[in-house]
Each structure stands twice: as C-alpha cells, then as structure tokens.
Amino acid sequence: MGWTLVVALVAAGVGGIVGAYVERQGFGGDVQLPQAGRVPAGRAPDSVPGIAARALPSVVTLHVTGTDQTDTGTGFVLDAQGHILTNNHVVAPAGSSGAISVTFSSGDSVRATVVGRDSGYDLAVVQVHGVHGLTPLPLGNSDDVRVGDPVVAIGAPFDLANTVTSGIISAKERPITAGGEKGDGSDVSYVDALQTDAPINPGNSGGPLLDSRARVIGINSAIRSADSGGSDPDAGQAGSIGLGFAIPVNQARRVAEELINTGRATHPVIGVTLDMGYTGDGARIDSKSAGGGPAVTRGGPGERAGLKAGDVITEVDGERVHTAEELIVKIRAHRPGDSLRLSVRRDGTDRQIPLRLGAAEQN
C-alpha cells in the first residue's frame, strides 16, 4: 500500500534546563574521550549490551539555545576531525546567533559550530575542536536492511542522555514528510524512511539506529504519535507508540559528505512543478510554476525526457506513487545523475519515460 506519513520531529524542548546544565559543567580545556568500550563480560558482541558498550562513547547529546527556543537532540561522531552528524531540526533553533553544546558520554561538554545543514533531508553536520580520542561510529549499508532485523537506538529522550532502546526494523521505504513550520514548504523534509519499533522519543532526533554489528544504518528523526495528530513536533511532547522513523544511512552519508566538503547538499530533481493539491491517484505536473512560468523547466531533466504539464506520474522504476509527496520522496532517495523509469499517464494513455535526474541546491 502506498501512502505518505506526516510525522512529528523528535527534538525535545527543555526550557531553562540547558542554561543551568552548561553553567554547571563548564567548557574547560581539551577533552580526553574514552575509546570504544569493551563488551561486558558474559555478553555477546551482537547483544544489546555489547552494541551499547561499543557505540556509547561515539554518541553525543546536543543542547541548542536560540532566541525563541531551546532544544535537546542527539548526534554521533563521523570522523577524527570532530564532525558530528545530527538532524537539521535539532540545530536549526540556534540560527545565526545561538549556541550549540555537545556533551559526550564521559560527561564532558564542548561548544560546536555548524558546518552545514539541509532542511530537505533534515540533516546537519556540526564540528567540535580540541577534542582528542574521538572514535567514529562505522556506517553500515541501509540497502541491506531487511524487515525483522534487530536494531538498537541510542539518544537522549526528554534530555535523558545515553538512553539505549532496542527493537526491530518493522518496515522499509516509508514515505514520510516532516517539518514545514515556515508555512511555505521550504523547510519540509522528505524521507524514504526505515520504520522501527525501538522506542524513540523527543530528544532522540539525530541519534544512530544501529544494526547487530554496531554499525549505523539510520538516523532517528521522527515519530508517529497518538496524541500529536502527526505534524506538530511540539504537541504535548508526545511519546513513542512504536512507530519511529530513521533516515537511511546511505542517503545520510552522501548528504554529510557534501555538507562537510562544500557546506551545502544537492538535491536530485526532475525539473517540474507538481500540483500539491491534486487529489487523484499519482503525482500530476502543474499547469505553471509558482512564479507563473512553465511547470516543466526549460532545458531541465523533465523537458529533455518529454514530460508535459498535466502529465500524471504513477510509478518510479515500477513502484507505485500515489501522491506528489511520495514522488518527491522517491526522487530524494536517489542521487543526482541517476536514471529513472517513470510511468506517465497522458490523455488516458500510459507510457514509459526514461529520465536522468538533475541537481539543485537547497535554498
């Protein structure tokens, strides 16, 4: 069944707690971090205690303060240079004048700066300096994940740092959308997500979802909650009902590399404006762009492939799409330059159209 979930982001607002925490902990000299922990005696390496022992030294809690908001989230170490991956919605409240602190499992805290962030993928990279002994978490392959695989999530739900939960992959390729607080759609993230029943709550955002070998296969980012109605990230600080969603690590790896190398991430595009209000089955190309120009960008991938205004895209590489949001999610799961095969309905006739994805930067 094809469908799109609108879900709540899971950064946790913590009010005045952060200010007191930072004042108590301080930001002293160089931090010496422990190496990855040994597996506890009598525990198998692929057990939850074994996975937690290896991963916890590489997982951090982020406290973010801005003009109007204070949030808690999670991240994990990418490399020895101090790059840390988290969600964009975790660091966004800092804006241009706020502050971000990173607390390691040892209890040491340091300040961090934003290297790059992207709202479309809901990912961000921050960096810490003067920290020695960093142990990056190994990245797995999310394409190899299967429904039923055991997973472990680590994060700071409700600011309870170093919390470990476990479960399974309960579904794959869930098309979810989250964000959109600006009202213009520019900060909506579209994710072809891994679904898990491992408990995830506000504060888990940006934390790793790990496989049985302690490799990151996803970045925990959103939950479906019973009392939030889906789209409001702050509605009652609702908790887990066993429907958590993680950005697949293969997608996150590409975005993180681009953010580190250039400060910006590219988005794969087909070069058309979609009719987001279309209620029929599929994704219909609008009659014009938001600016009043042609809905099919001149010289873009869609025009080169032969797409036209009014076309309804019903499949991508043989997989059904039922809404414009689902099509965007499917496209975002690829890289610029990838080739797709679109099923298009035009004037009551279905046709197959090959298309090579273009690239655009997030504004």
Side-chain angles (χ1 to χ4, degrees):
M1 175 179 176
W3 49 287
T4 304
L5 282 174
V6 180
V7 295
L9 307 175
V10 283
V14 294
I17 296 175
V18 170
Y21 179 90
V22 171
E23 182 179 356
R24 182 173 66 253
Q25 292 294 323
F27 294 93
D30 289 352
V31 174
Q32 298 287 333
L33 296 178
Q35 295 295 311
R38 296 180 178 178
V39 176
R43 304 294 193 273
D46 60 352
S47 66
V48 174
I51 295 166
R54 284 180 286 168
L56 275 169
S58 304
V59 180
V60 303
T61 301
L62 288 86
H63 292 103
V64 181
T65 58
T67 304
D68 302 319
Q69 189 175 351
T70 300
D71 279 344
T72 297
T74 307
F76 61 91
V77 176
L78 285 173
D79 57 32
Q81 286 71 51
H83 291 112
I84 291 167
L85 185 62
T86 186
N87 283 137
N88 172 67
H89 73 263
V90 170
V91 302
S96 59
S97 58
I100 302 171
S101 72
V102 170
T103 302
F104 294 87
S105 61
S106 62
D108 293 304
S109 295
V110 295
R111 294 201 182 277
T113 56
V114 175
V115 173
R117 60 191 189 92
D118 187 283
S119 61
Y121 286 108
D122 194 20
L123 291 168
V125 175
V126 302
Q127 188 171 19
V128 296
H129 298 281
V131 181
H132 305 290
L134 289 171
T135 304
L137 275 182
L139 305 183
N141 184 350
S142 50
D143 289 344
D144 291 342
V145 173
R146 296 293 179 266
V147 173
D149 282 348
V151 290
V152 170
I154 301 179
F158 299 103
D159 206 21
L160 298 171
N162 306 322
T163 295
V164 177
T165 57
S166 65
I168 63 168
I169 295 292
S170 53
K172 294 178 59 179
E173 299 178 352
R174 287 297 198 208
I176 67 167
T177 62
E181 286 81 8
K182 291 179 183 176
D184 60 1
S186 63
D187 60 340
V188 176
S189 58
Y190 298 88
V191 179
D192 207 19
L194 300 173
Q195 179 181 303
T196 180
D197 67 350
I200 296 172
N201 291 285
N204 274 106
S205 278
L209 188 68
L210 303 158
D211 67 10
S212 61
R213 297 174 64 181
R215 301 175 302 187
V216 180
I217 56 170
I219 293 80
N220 300 317
S221 301
I223 59 173
R224 180 72 175 183
S225 92
D227 61 344
S228 72
S231 60
D232 186 353
D234 299 314
Q237 290 285 280
S240 172
I241 60 170
L243 287 172
F245 302 96
I247 301 167
V249 74
N250 289 8
Q251 187 177 87
R253 178 191 288 109
R254 176 185 72 82
V255 174
E257 289 172 350
E258 291 188 351
L259 292 176
I260 291 170
N261 292 328
T262 69
R264 301 175 69 89
T266 56
H267 294 186
V269 295
I270 61 175
V272 304
T273 299
L274 298 175
D275 180 358
M276 304 304 287
Y278 179 62
T279 57
D281 193 46
R284 185 172 68 183
I285 299 175
D286 214 337
S287 58
K288 59 184 179 181
S289 70
V296 180
T297 305
R298 291 189 177 94
E303 185 182 66
R304 292 194 298 270
L307 293 176
K308 300 180 181 298
D311 284 351
V312 178
I313 300 169
T314 58
E315 293 183 1
V316 177
D317 289 338
E319 296 184 2
R320 294 282 300 182
V321 292
H322 298 272
T323 65
E325 288 85 357
E326 283 191 23
L327 177 60
I328 296 171
V329 166
K330 291 296 183 187
I331 292 169
R332 291 276 179 89
H334 290 81
R335 294 172 176 264
D338 284 354
S339 294
L340 304 180
R341 187 182 75 259
L342 304 180
S343 295
V344 177
R345 184 174 301 122
R346 180 185 300 164
D347 299 327
T349 302
D350 293 330
R351 62 192 69 201
Q352 299 293 310
I353 295 181
L355 178 145
R356 183 178 295 275
L357 292 172
E361 287 189 343
Q362 176 80 6
N363 293 325

